[in-house]
mmCIF file of all heavy atoms in Angstrom:
data_model
loop_
_atom_site.group_PDB
_atom_site.id
_atom_site.type_symbol
_atom_site.label_atom_id
_atom_site.label_comp_id
_atom_site.label_asym_id
_atom_site.label_seq_id
_atom_site.Cartn_x
_atom_site.Cartn_y
_atom_site.Cartn_z
ATOM 1 N N TRP A 1 33.369 259.676 121.474
ATOM 2 C CA TRP A 1 34.371 258.820 122.145
ATOM 3 C C TRP A 1 34.781 259.335 123.476
ATOM 4 O O TRP A 1 35.058 258.570 124.376
ATOM 5 C CB TRP A 1 35.533 258.570 121.184
ATOM 6 C CG TRP A 1 35.208 257.597 120.163
ATOM 7 C CD1 TRP A 1 34.656 257.785 118.925
ATOM 8 C CD2 TRP A 1 35.427 256.154 120.212
ATOM 9 N NE1 TRP A 1 34.474 256.651 118.241
ATOM 10 C CE2 TRP A 1 34.940 255.636 118.984
ATOM 11 C CE3 TRP A 1 35.983 255.345 121.181
ATOM 12 C CZ2 TRP A 1 35.041 254.239 118.732
ATOM 13 C CZ3 TRP A 1 36.025 253.986 120.932
ATOM 14 C CH2 TRP A 1 35.595 253.459 119.718
ATOM 15 N N ALA A 2 34.768 260.653 123.641
ATOM 16 C CA ALA A 2 35.061 261.199 124.960
ATOM 17 C C ALA A 2 33.988 260.857 125.942
ATOM 18 O O ALA A 2 34.248 260.464 127.102
ATOM 19 C CB ALA A 2 35.205 262.729 124.825
ATOM 20 N N ALA A 3 32.731 260.847 125.498
ATOM 21 C CA ALA A 3 31.632 260.412 126.333
ATOM 22 C C ALA A 3 31.719 258.947 126.633
ATOM 23 O O ALA A 3 31.428 258.484 127.780
ATOM 24 C CB ALA A 3 30.307 260.725 125.637
ATOM 25 N N MET A 4 32.168 258.155 125.656
ATOM 26 C CA MET A 4 32.326 256.699 125.854
ATOM 27 C C MET A 4 33.456 256.436 126.851
ATOM 28 O O MET A 4 33.287 255.562 127.741
ATOM 29 C CB MET A 4 32.641 255.981 124.535
ATOM 30 C CG MET A 4 31.400 255.894 123.600
ATOM 31 S SD MET A 4 31.859 255.370 121.903
ATOM 32 C CE MET A 4 32.675 253.852 122.226
ATOM 33 N N LYS A 5 34.521 257.164 126.784
ATOM 34 C CA LYS A 5 35.636 256.936 127.710
ATOM 35 C C LYS A 5 35.145 257.240 129.125
ATOM 36 O O LYS A 5 35.464 256.498 130.059
ATOM 37 C CB LYS A 5 36.832 257.832 127.338
ATOM 38 C CG LYS A 5 37.985 257.668 128.357
ATOM 39 C CD LYS A 5 39.061 258.705 128.112
ATOM 40 C CE LYS A 5 40.154 258.586 129.236
ATOM 41 N NZ LYS A 5 41.086 259.704 129.196
ATOM 42 N N ALA A 6 34.390 258.361 129.301
ATOM 43 C CA ALA A 6 33.896 258.703 130.635
ATOM 44 C C ALA A 6 32.961 257.661 131.154
ATOM 45 O O ALA A 6 33.048 257.236 132.317
ATOM 46 C CB ALA A 6 33.175 260.049 130.584
ATOM 47 N N ALA A 7 32.047 257.103 130.316
ATOM 48 C CA ALA A 7 31.102 256.110 130.769
ATOM 49 C C ALA A 7 31.776 254.797 131.081
ATOM 50 O O ALA A 7 31.477 254.092 131.990
ATOM 51 C CB ALA A 7 30.012 255.885 129.711
ATOM 52 N N TYR A 8 32.835 254.474 130.271
ATOM 53 C CA TYR A 8 33.578 253.245 130.455
ATOM 54 C C TYR A 8 34.374 253.275 131.775
ATOM 55 O O TYR A 8 34.427 252.333 132.508
ATOM 56 C CB TYR A 8 34.513 253.108 129.296
ATOM 57 C CG TYR A 8 35.270 251.746 129.237
ATOM 58 C CD1 TYR A 8 34.683 250.617 128.731
ATOM 59 C CD2 TYR A 8 36.615 251.696 129.586
ATOM 60 C CE1 TYR A 8 35.349 249.417 128.663
ATOM 61 C CE2 TYR A 8 37.330 250.501 129.503
ATOM 62 C CZ TYR A 8 36.682 249.353 129.022
ATOM 63 O OH TYR A 8 37.378 248.157 128.942
ATOM 64 N N SER A 9 34.906 254.464 132.075
ATOM 65 C CA SER A 9 35.626 254.647 133.317
ATOM 66 C C SER A 9 34.773 254.320 134.551
ATOM 67 O O SER A 9 35.216 253.679 135.523
ATOM 68 C CB SER A 9 36.200 256.102 133.477
ATOM 69 O OG SER A 9 37.175 256.338 132.515
ATOM 70 N N VAL A 10 33.531 254.745 134.454
ATOM 71 C CA VAL A 10 32.597 254.441 135.551
ATOM 72 C C VAL A 10 32.379 252.975 135.643
ATOM 73 O O VAL A 10 32.327 252.432 136.790
ATOM 74 C CB VAL A 10 31.240 255.216 135.374
ATOM 75 C CG1 VAL A 10 30.230 254.788 136.367
ATOM 76 C CG2 VAL A 10 31.488 256.695 135.404
ATOM 77 N N ARG A 11 32.232 252.232 134.524
ATOM 78 C CA ARG A 11 31.919 250.853 134.576
ATOM 79 C C ARG A 11 33.049 250.004 135.097
ATOM 80 O O ARG A 11 32.847 248.943 135.685
ATOM 81 C CB ARG A 11 31.568 250.383 133.136
ATOM 82 C CG ARG A 11 30.298 250.938 132.565
ATOM 83 C CD ARG A 11 29.108 250.341 133.314
ATOM 84 N NE ARG A 11 29.002 248.876 133.059
ATOM 85 C CZ ARG A 11 28.295 248.318 132.097
ATOM 86 N NH1 ARG A 11 27.570 249.084 131.266
ATOM 87 N NH2 ARG A 11 28.245 247.003 131.945
ATOM 88 N N ILE A 12 34.338 250.447 134.972
ATOM 89 C CA ILE A 12 35.474 249.626 135.366
ATOM 90 C C ILE A 12 36.101 250.180 136.660
ATOM 91 O O ILE A 12 37.131 249.588 137.124
ATOM 92 C CB ILE A 12 36.530 249.561 134.271
ATOM 93 C CG1 ILE A 12 37.177 250.936 134.044
ATOM 94 C CG2 ILE A 12 35.976 249.029 132.954
ATOM 95 C CD1 ILE A 12 38.384 250.917 133.053
ATOM 96 N N ALA A 13 35.548 251.135 137.276
ATOM 97 C CA ALA A 13 36.146 251.798 138.400
ATOM 98 C C ALA A 13 36.511 250.824 139.548
ATOM 99 O O ALA A 13 37.517 251.031 140.203
ATOM 100 C CB ALA A 13 35.292 252.933 138.906
ATOM 101 N N ASP A 14 35.655 249.875 139.798
ATOM 102 C CA ASP A 14 35.844 249.053 140.980
ATOM 103 C C ASP A 14 36.493 247.643 140.589
ATOM 104 O O ASP A 14 36.547 246.744 141.414
ATOM 105 C CB ASP A 14 34.500 248.753 141.716
ATOM 106 C CG ASP A 14 33.951 250.009 142.307
ATOM 107 O OD1 ASP A 14 34.743 250.872 142.719
ATOM 108 O OD2 ASP A 14 32.703 250.170 142.328
ATOM 109 N N ARG A 15 36.968 247.546 139.382
ATOM 110 C CA ARG A 15 37.516 246.254 138.946
ATOM 111 C C ARG A 15 38.982 246.177 139.299
ATOM 112 O O ARG A 15 39.740 247.202 139.137
ATOM 113 C CB ARG A 15 37.381 246.113 137.463
ATOM 114 C CG ARG A 15 35.936 246.082 137.015
ATOM 115 C CD ARG A 15 35.844 245.905 135.474
ATOM 116 N NE ARG A 15 36.468 244.674 135.054
ATOM 117 C CZ ARG A 15 35.890 243.839 134.152
ATOM 118 N NH1 ARG A 15 34.692 244.054 133.682
ATOM 119 N NH2 ARG A 15 36.531 242.704 133.799
ATOM 120 N N PRO A 16 39.509 245.064 139.743
ATOM 121 C CA PRO A 16 40.961 244.945 140.016
ATOM 122 C C PRO A 16 41.764 244.901 138.728
ATOM 123 O O PRO A 16 42.962 245.176 138.758
ATOM 124 C CB PRO A 16 41.063 243.583 140.767
ATOM 125 C CG PRO A 16 39.878 242.834 140.343
ATOM 126 C CD PRO A 16 38.773 243.841 140.123
ATOM 127 N N ASP A 17 41.139 244.606 137.576
ATOM 128 C CA ASP A 17 41.885 244.522 136.332
ATOM 129 C C ASP A 17 41.624 245.770 135.497
ATOM 130 O O ASP A 17 41.660 245.670 134.274
ATOM 131 C CB ASP A 17 41.482 243.257 135.547
ATOM 132 C CG ASP A 17 39.958 243.235 135.301
ATOM 133 O OD1 ASP A 17 39.229 244.083 135.810
ATOM 134 O OD2 ASP A 17 39.497 242.270 134.573
ATOM 135 N N TYR A 18 41.380 246.914 136.158
ATOM 136 C CA TYR A 18 41.020 248.139 135.370
ATOM 137 C C TYR A 18 42.167 248.520 134.378
ATOM 138 O O TYR A 18 41.882 249.087 133.352
ATOM 139 C CB TYR A 18 40.741 249.284 136.312
ATOM 140 C CG TYR A 18 41.877 249.758 137.167
ATOM 141 C CD1 TYR A 18 42.853 250.607 136.642
ATOM 142 C CD2 TYR A 18 41.985 249.337 138.512
ATOM 143 C CE1 TYR A 18 43.932 251.012 137.461
ATOM 144 C CE2 TYR A 18 43.042 249.781 139.325
ATOM 145 C CZ TYR A 18 43.984 250.594 138.752
ATOM 146 O OH TYR A 18 45.050 251.008 139.537
ATOM 147 N N GLY A 19 43.423 248.195 134.723
ATOM 148 C CA GLY A 19 44.529 248.566 133.829
ATOM 149 C C GLY A 19 44.381 247.869 132.476
ATOM 150 O O GLY A 19 44.535 248.455 131.431
ATOM 151 N N ARG A 20 44.105 246.539 132.497
ATOM 152 C CA ARG A 20 43.877 245.799 131.301
ATOM 153 C C ARG A 20 42.627 246.267 130.583
ATOM 154 O O ARG A 20 42.602 246.331 129.348
ATOM 155 C CB ARG A 20 43.796 244.308 131.592
ATOM 156 C CG ARG A 20 45.134 243.680 132.002
ATOM 157 C CD ARG A 20 45.062 242.172 132.029
ATOM 158 N NE ARG A 20 44.122 241.662 133.011
ATOM 159 C CZ ARG A 20 44.385 241.458 134.295
ATOM 160 N NH1 ARG A 20 45.615 241.730 134.756
ATOM 161 N NH2 ARG A 20 43.460 240.928 135.130
ATOM 162 N N ALA A 21 41.632 246.613 131.326
ATOM 163 C CA ALA A 21 40.371 247.129 130.734
ATOM 164 C C ALA A 21 40.619 248.442 130.005
ATOM 165 O O ALA A 21 40.059 248.691 128.965
ATOM 166 C CB ALA A 21 39.292 247.296 131.832
ATOM 167 N N GLU A 22 41.481 249.308 130.544
ATOM 168 C CA GLU A 22 41.798 250.518 129.859
ATOM 169 C C GLU A 22 42.522 250.287 128.595
ATOM 170 O O GLU A 22 42.250 250.900 127.522
ATOM 171 C CB GLU A 22 42.642 251.428 130.810
ATOM 172 C CG GLU A 22 41.836 251.967 132.003
ATOM 173 C CD GLU A 22 42.684 252.772 132.939
ATOM 174 O OE1 GLU A 22 43.913 252.504 132.994
ATOM 175 O OE2 GLU A 22 42.195 253.601 133.701
ATOM 176 N N THR A 23 43.490 249.354 128.601
ATOM 177 C CA THR A 23 44.218 248.994 127.373
ATOM 178 C C THR A 23 43.311 248.424 126.338
ATOM 179 O O THR A 23 43.462 248.707 125.132
ATOM 180 C CB THR A 23 45.325 247.966 127.749
ATOM 181 O OG1 THR A 23 46.248 248.565 128.706
ATOM 182 C CG2 THR A 23 46.133 247.562 126.497
ATOM 183 N N PHE A 24 42.336 247.669 126.734
ATOM 184 C CA PHE A 24 41.399 247.072 125.814
ATOM 185 C C PHE A 24 40.608 248.185 125.110
ATOM 186 O O PHE A 24 40.398 248.154 123.879
ATOM 187 C CB PHE A 24 40.469 246.121 126.596
ATOM 188 C CG PHE A 24 39.520 245.365 125.706
ATOM 189 C CD1 PHE A 24 39.944 244.194 125.072
ATOM 190 C CD2 PHE A 24 38.181 245.751 125.518
ATOM 191 C CE1 PHE A 24 39.083 243.419 124.344
ATOM 192 C CE2 PHE A 24 37.355 245.008 124.738
ATOM 193 C CZ PHE A 24 37.799 243.842 124.128
ATOM 194 N N PHE A 25 40.164 249.132 125.860
ATOM 195 C CA PHE A 25 39.393 250.287 125.290
ATOM 196 C C PHE A 25 40.305 251.023 124.273
ATOM 197 O O PHE A 25 39.839 251.406 123.171
ATOM 198 C CB PHE A 25 38.979 251.251 126.410
ATOM 199 C CG PHE A 25 38.150 252.439 125.911
ATOM 200 C CD1 PHE A 25 36.733 252.328 125.835
ATOM 201 C CD2 PHE A 25 38.804 253.625 125.547
ATOM 202 C CE1 PHE A 25 35.997 253.424 125.413
ATOM 203 C CE2 PHE A 25 38.027 254.684 125.153
ATOM 204 C CZ PHE A 25 36.619 254.599 125.034
ATOM 205 N N ASN A 26 41.551 251.240 124.610
ATOM 206 C CA ASN A 26 42.462 251.947 123.706
ATOM 207 C C ASN A 26 42.659 251.145 122.385
ATOM 208 O O ASN A 26 42.790 251.748 121.326
ATOM 209 C CB ASN A 26 43.852 252.075 124.339
ATOM 210 C CG ASN A 26 43.871 253.125 125.435
ATOM 211 O OD1 ASN A 26 42.868 253.836 125.616
ATOM 212 N ND2 ASN A 26 44.952 253.209 126.189
ATOM 213 N N SER A 27 42.584 249.807 122.456
ATOM 214 C CA SER A 27 42.743 249.028 121.250
ATOM 215 C C SER A 27 41.602 249.293 120.279
ATOM 216 O O SER A 27 41.833 249.341 119.058
ATOM 217 C CB SER A 27 42.791 247.520 121.598
ATOM 218 O OG SER A 27 43.909 247.210 122.383
ATOM 219 N N VAL A 28 40.423 249.477 120.825
ATOM 220 C CA VAL A 28 39.302 249.726 119.944
ATOM 221 C C VAL A 28 39.391 251.148 119.407
ATOM 222 O O VAL A 28 39.164 251.380 118.220
ATOM 223 C CB VAL A 28 37.921 249.649 120.749
ATOM 224 C CG1 VAL A 28 36.753 249.827 119.817
ATOM 225 C CG2 VAL A 28 37.839 248.257 121.452
ATOM 226 N N THR A 29 39.762 252.094 120.244
ATOM 227 C CA THR A 29 39.951 253.523 119.782
ATOM 228 C C THR A 29 40.937 253.616 118.648
ATOM 229 O O THR A 29 40.688 254.306 117.654
ATOM 230 C CB THR A 29 40.367 254.419 120.985
ATOM 231 O OG1 THR A 29 39.506 254.276 122.019
ATOM 232 C CG2 THR A 29 40.534 255.868 120.548
ATOM 233 N N ARG A 30 42.059 252.963 118.782
ATOM 234 C CA ARG A 30 43.106 253.102 117.811
ATOM 235 C C ARG A 30 42.729 252.358 116.495
ATOM 236 O O ARG A 30 43.262 252.676 115.418
ATOM 237 C CB ARG A 30 44.403 252.560 118.365
ATOM 238 C CG ARG A 30 44.903 253.524 119.475
ATOM 239 C CD ARG A 30 46.389 253.351 119.778
ATOM 240 N NE ARG A 30 46.794 254.549 120.553
ATOM 241 C CZ ARG A 30 47.807 255.294 120.220
ATOM 242 N NH1 ARG A 30 48.507 255.071 119.129
ATOM 243 N NH2 ARG A 30 48.110 256.371 120.942
ATOM 244 N N ARG A 31 41.864 251.350 116.577
ATOM 245 C CA ARG A 31 41.383 250.753 115.350
ATOM 246 C C ARG A 31 40.542 251.763 114.534
ATOM 247 O O ARG A 31 40.614 251.790 113.326
ATOM 248 C CB ARG A 31 40.495 249.517 115.702
ATOM 249 C CG ARG A 31 41.244 248.261 116.036
ATOM 250 C CD ARG A 31 41.983 247.688 114.788
ATOM 251 N NE ARG A 31 42.552 246.411 115.084
ATOM 252 C CZ ARG A 31 41.895 245.285 114.894
ATOM 253 N NH1 ARG A 31 40.643 245.292 114.459
ATOM 254 N NH2 ARG A 31 42.458 244.163 115.193
ATOM 255 N N VAL A 32 39.760 252.540 115.242
ATOM 256 C CA VAL A 32 38.896 253.492 114.571
ATOM 257 C C VAL A 32 39.625 254.717 114.069
ATOM 258 O O VAL A 32 39.409 255.171 112.962
ATOM 259 C CB VAL A 32 37.718 253.933 115.521
ATOM 260 C CG1 VAL A 32 36.919 255.044 114.902
ATOM 261 C CG2 VAL A 32 36.886 252.757 115.897
ATOM 262 N N PHE A 33 40.525 255.218 114.891
ATOM 263 C CA PHE A 33 41.204 256.486 114.552
ATOM 264 C C PHE A 33 42.596 256.345 114.002
ATOM 265 O O PHE A 33 43.169 257.290 113.448
ATOM 266 C CB PHE A 33 41.246 257.383 115.791
ATOM 267 C CG PHE A 33 39.923 257.880 116.221
ATOM 268 C CD1 PHE A 33 39.194 257.229 117.233
ATOM 269 C CD2 PHE A 33 39.387 259.020 115.641
ATOM 270 C CE1 PHE A 33 37.974 257.725 117.608
ATOM 271 C CE2 PHE A 33 38.114 259.516 116.032
ATOM 272 C CZ PHE A 33 37.399 258.825 117.010
ATOM 273 N N ALA A 34 43.189 255.142 114.136
ATOM 274 C CA ALA A 34 44.582 254.986 113.704
ATOM 275 C C ALA A 34 45.448 256.120 114.234
ATOM 276 O O ALA A 34 46.142 256.787 113.513
ATOM 277 C CB ALA A 34 44.677 254.916 112.194
ATOM 278 N N THR A 35 45.290 256.382 115.537
ATOM 279 C CA THR A 35 45.851 257.580 116.156
ATOM 280 C C THR A 35 47.385 257.622 116.016
ATOM 281 O O THR A 35 48.102 256.644 116.294
ATOM 282 C CB THR A 35 45.515 257.566 117.667
ATOM 283 O OG1 THR A 35 44.078 257.380 117.750
ATOM 284 C CG2 THR A 35 45.887 258.901 118.276
ATOM 285 N N VAL A 36 47.924 258.817 115.646
ATOM 286 C CA VAL A 36 49.338 259.073 115.719
ATOM 287 C C VAL A 36 49.550 259.967 116.944
ATOM 288 O O VAL A 36 48.901 261.024 117.051
ATOM 289 C CB VAL A 36 49.820 259.790 114.444
ATOM 290 C CG1 VAL A 36 51.318 260.176 114.616
ATOM 291 C CG2 VAL A 36 49.614 258.934 113.201
ATOM 292 N N GLY A 37 50.340 259.539 117.863
ATOM 293 C CA GLY A 37 50.488 260.212 119.124
ATOM 294 C C GLY A 37 49.336 259.796 120.058
ATOM 295 O O GLY A 37 48.800 258.683 119.867
ATOM 296 N N VAL A 38 48.975 260.625 120.967
ATOM 297 C CA VAL A 38 47.920 260.276 121.926
ATOM 298 C C VAL A 38 46.893 261.395 121.994
ATOM 299 O O VAL A 38 47.173 262.529 121.777
ATOM 300 C CB VAL A 38 48.490 259.975 123.303
ATOM 301 C CG1 VAL A 38 49.406 258.767 123.306
ATOM 302 C CG2 VAL A 38 49.218 261.213 123.864
ATOM 303 N N ASP A 39 45.677 261.011 122.314
ATOM 304 C CA ASP A 39 44.588 261.940 122.544
ATOM 305 C C ASP A 39 43.969 261.583 123.893
ATOM 306 O O ASP A 39 43.217 260.588 123.952
ATOM 307 C CB ASP A 39 43.539 261.931 121.410
ATOM 308 C CG ASP A 39 42.484 262.993 121.548
ATOM 309 O OD1 ASP A 39 42.319 263.499 122.664
ATOM 310 O OD2 ASP A 39 41.806 263.249 120.549
ATOM 311 N N ARG A 40 44.237 262.311 124.894
ATOM 312 C CA ARG A 40 43.822 262.025 126.247
ATOM 313 C C ARG A 40 42.300 262.058 126.377
ATOM 314 O O ARG A 40 41.727 261.516 127.337
ATOM 315 C CB ARG A 40 44.469 262.966 127.319
ATOM 316 C CG ARG A 40 45.948 262.773 127.369
ATOM 317 C CD ARG A 40 46.578 263.804 128.322
ATOM 318 N NE ARG A 40 48.004 263.621 128.402
ATOM 319 C CZ ARG A 40 48.598 262.855 129.316
ATOM 320 N NH1 ARG A 40 47.850 262.170 130.172
ATOM 321 N NH2 ARG A 40 49.886 262.697 129.302
ATOM 322 N N ASN A 41 41.593 262.748 125.489
ATOM 323 C CA ASN A 41 40.173 262.844 125.594
ATOM 324 C C ASN A 41 39.495 261.554 125.240
ATOM 325 O O ASN A 41 38.367 261.243 125.725
ATOM 326 C CB ASN A 41 39.648 263.974 124.640
ATOM 327 C CG ASN A 41 39.982 265.322 125.167
ATOM 328 O OD1 ASN A 41 39.970 265.563 126.331
ATOM 329 N ND2 ASN A 41 40.336 266.225 124.235
ATOM 330 N N ILE A 42 40.061 260.717 124.341
ATOM 331 C CA ILE A 42 39.413 259.518 123.870
ATOM 332 C C ILE A 42 40.147 258.229 124.196
ATOM 333 O O ILE A 42 39.663 257.199 123.833
ATOM 334 C CB ILE A 42 39.179 259.627 122.327
ATOM 335 C CG1 ILE A 42 40.474 259.634 121.585
ATOM 336 C CG2 ILE A 42 38.339 260.840 122.000
ATOM 337 C CD1 ILE A 42 40.335 259.532 120.077
ATOM 338 N N GLU A 43 41.301 258.328 124.816
ATOM 339 C CA GLU A 43 42.007 257.057 125.196
ATOM 340 C C GLU A 43 42.668 257.280 126.543
ATOM 341 O O GLU A 43 42.900 258.420 126.986
ATOM 342 C CB GLU A 43 43.040 256.686 124.135
ATOM 343 C CG GLU A 43 44.121 257.687 123.853
ATOM 344 C CD GLU A 43 44.982 257.310 122.708
ATOM 345 O OE1 GLU A 43 45.411 256.132 122.678
ATOM 346 O OE2 GLU A 43 45.320 258.173 121.842
ATOM 347 N N PHE A 44 43.010 256.175 127.153
ATOM 348 C CA PHE A 44 43.647 256.191 128.475
ATOM 349 C C PHE A 44 45.141 256.288 128.259
ATOM 350 O O PHE A 44 45.774 255.466 127.641
ATOM 351 C CB PHE A 44 43.304 254.954 129.252
ATOM 352 C CG PHE A 44 41.872 254.852 129.566
ATOM 353 C CD1 PHE A 44 40.998 254.096 128.778
ATOM 354 C CD2 PHE A 44 41.327 255.402 130.748
ATOM 355 C CE1 PHE A 44 39.644 254.002 129.080
ATOM 356 C CE2 PHE A 44 40.006 255.332 131.035
ATOM 357 C CZ PHE A 44 39.087 254.614 130.206
ATOM 358 N N VAL A 45 45.739 257.329 128.809
ATOM 359 C CA VAL A 45 47.170 257.496 128.788
ATOM 360 C C VAL A 45 47.783 257.150 130.173
ATOM 361 O O VAL A 45 48.437 256.200 130.334
ATOM 362 C CB VAL A 45 47.550 258.956 128.342
ATOM 363 C CG1 VAL A 45 49.075 259.107 128.267
ATOM 364 C CG2 VAL A 45 46.932 259.288 126.982
ATOM 365 N N ASP A 46 47.431 258.007 131.128
ATOM 366 C CA ASP A 46 47.681 257.665 132.508
ATOM 367 C C ASP A 46 46.360 257.123 133.037
ATOM 368 O O ASP A 46 45.271 257.608 132.673
ATOM 369 C CB ASP A 46 48.081 258.881 133.354
ATOM 370 C CG ASP A 46 49.357 259.457 132.866
ATOM 371 O OD1 ASP A 46 50.298 258.662 132.514
ATOM 372 O OD2 ASP A 46 49.493 260.717 132.731
ATOM 373 N N SER A 47 46.411 256.051 133.873
ATOM 374 C CA SER A 47 45.199 255.485 134.367
ATOM 375 C C SER A 47 44.309 256.508 135.099
ATOM 376 O O SER A 47 44.799 257.409 135.707
ATOM 377 C CB SER A 47 45.501 254.363 135.313
ATOM 378 O OG SER A 47 44.332 253.791 135.879
#
């Protein structure tokens, strides 16, 4: 997932809606991990 986050960041870097795209990625991550707190390696905390 850390590798996925890095690759995803590259794909959305030039998009004007990157903030929503980051939130979308986090929604998938939290479905898989049911994260308590945050893990900056696998989800977007600060853009």
Side-chain angles (χ1 to χ4, degrees):
W1 281 88
M4 287 169 56
K5 179 190 173 189
Y8 188 79
S9 293
V10 173
R11 292 289 296 266
I12 66 172
D14 295 326
R15 298 180 61 132
D17 58 354
Y18 64 80
R20 290 192 296 275
E22 290 174 338
T23 299
F24 188 83
F25 183 89
N26 287 352
S27 295
V28 185
T29 303
R30 292 198 164 233
R31 281 291 188 89
V32 172
F33 291 96
T35 310
V36 177
V38 297
D39 185 341
R40 294 175 180 271
N41 288 322
I42 65 172
E43 61 185 315
F44 295 94
V45 181
D46 298 319
S47 177

